[in-house]
Every structure is written in structure tokens, then in C-alpha cells.
Amino acid sequence: MKDLYVGIDLGGTFIKCGIVTKNGEVLINGQTPTEVEKGVDGVLQNVVRIMRSQLEKISKSESDVNCIGFGVPGIVEDNRFVIEATNVHWKNENIVEKMKKFTSVPVKLGNDADVAALGEVKFGAAKGMKHAFMITLGTGVGSGIIIDGKIFSGNRGCGGEIGHTILHKNGELCNCGQKG
């Protein structure tokens, strides 16, 4: 019976992985370096490697997993397509399709801050709330907006994007190539 879910939080430095039940009980979690320099396929192989490692530690396998929820630090469209994720240097990538090369477990993709906010509404600090706003801090800054219990993704997945704003015209160089 496929009663487990895998949560992946892709960061510019680390991939975090949690194995959870449908009720949100965390069975195990761990992390591994992202290794952005290996490109999209190399990073996705690291995602699958940490997932399999965590499953093995609890004597489970991919056949026990209903789905992978995959949070990406960037603009995600249609729960499958990364328009841009500057911290991992991804642009115009169909991650759901690419993941099929490495695992048969279905993947649902989302912006990392959006899915974190939804997780808080379903199981965490905002449990029971219909509306919530969350700010995430990591390699970058993100935010997620929940309205009526659903992610507000806005136009082309940019609904909660507050972390990429130019504040100083000639300021510090960003991963995207712009200053400020």
C-alpha cells in the first residue's frame, strides 16, 4: 500500500528530504549537498539518492511511496515546469518529466516557499487557518501565500515572489546576474 509521501526541499546548498505519512507524521528526515555544479540531472540524481537512502533507513522502498512533493527555490508553472530557479541555475526545465529518468514515483512540483506555507496550514503553526503568509530564509528569500486553504500562485507562478527585488541600483551582485 502506497501510504508514504516524500517531501523534498531543494536549496542552493542542500537538498532536504523527509518521509511522512498522510497525516503529516515525519518518520525520518535528512539532507545531502545539492551539488549545483553537476547540472539538472546530477541534482535530480542526488534527490533520488537521498530519498532512497531515507526510505532504506526505515525499511521501506519506492513502492511504498504515493508521491514526491518537490519544493524548488524559483518560479514554478503548472506544478511541473521550472521557469527559473537562480540559486540552482535552472531555467525552462520540465522537472517532472526529467525525474521520470530516475524514479517511477509521481512528482508534484511547487515553489519551495509556497509548499512550505501550505505545509504549515495543513500540519504546522498555521494549522486550521484559511489564510496565511510565510517568509522563508535560506540561500535566498522567499514567501508563500495561502488564500482559502490554497496556494496563491499568481501569474505564471509568481504570486508570492518577494525575494527578488532590487533595493540598491548598484548593490551586491545576485546569482541572476543583476545588482542590488
Side-chain angles (χ1 to χ4, degrees):
M1 186 170 155
K2 295 180 181 259
D3 57 352
L4 299 179
Y5 296 82
V6 175
I8 298 293
D9 177 21
L10 179 67
T13 308
F14 290 100
I15 298 164
K16 296 177 183 147
C17 174
I19 311 295
V20 301
T21 67
K22 68 179 180 179
N23 297 323
E25 177 190 359
V26 178
L27 301 177
I28 191 168
N29 60 62
Q31 68 180 26
T32 192
T34 305
E35 299 180 313
V36 173
E37 67 279 1
K38 290 185 172 181
V40 177
D41 283 359
V43 170
L44 296 180
Q45 287 172 326
N46 286 348
V47 166
V48 173
R49 191 174 302 115
I50 185 71
M51 173 187 72
R52 288 177 178 154
S53 168
Q54 297 304 95
L55 285 166
E56 186 178 300
K57 288 177 185 176
I58 59 170
S59 301
K60 298 290 183 178
S61 71
E62 289 177 68
S63 65
D64 298 303
V65 177
N66 186 293
C67 146
I68 300 169
F70 194 149
V72 175
I75 301 167
V76 175
E77 189 172 42
D78 295 330
N79 296 319
R80 63 182 171 77
F81 194 78
V82 173
I83 295 170
E84 186 168 16
T86 57
N87 290 339
V88 292
H89 311 293
W90 290 0
K91 192 169 188 146
N92 300 319
E93 297 285 353
N94 187 332
I95 298 304
V96 170
E97 194 61 37
K98 286 189 176 224
M99 280 289 286
K100 290 178 182 176
K101 292 190 287 188
F102 307 111
T103 182
S104 62
V105 178
V107 174
K108 183 153 185 182
L109 195 70
N111 169 273
D112 58 351
D114 288 346
V115 297
L118 185 61
E120 290 297 330
V121 166
K122 297 277 186 191
F123 305 108
K127 186 175 182 176
M129 306 297 278
K130 289 178 65 175
H131 314 295
F133 176 76
M134 179 177 184
I135 295 175
T136 61
L137 301 172
T139 305
V141 178
S143 68
I145 302 169
I146 305 299
I147 300 174
D148 288 327
K150 297 179 183 153
I151 293 172
F152 173 71
S153 56
N155 184 34
R156 297 194 77 204
C158 296
E161 290 297 314
I162 65 164
H164 205 94
T165 304
I166 295 173
L167 300 174
H168 301 285
K169 184 177 172 184
N170 295 314
E172 190 175 328
L173 185 65
C174 175
N175 287 338
C176 77
Q178 295 185 55
K179 290 188 173 190

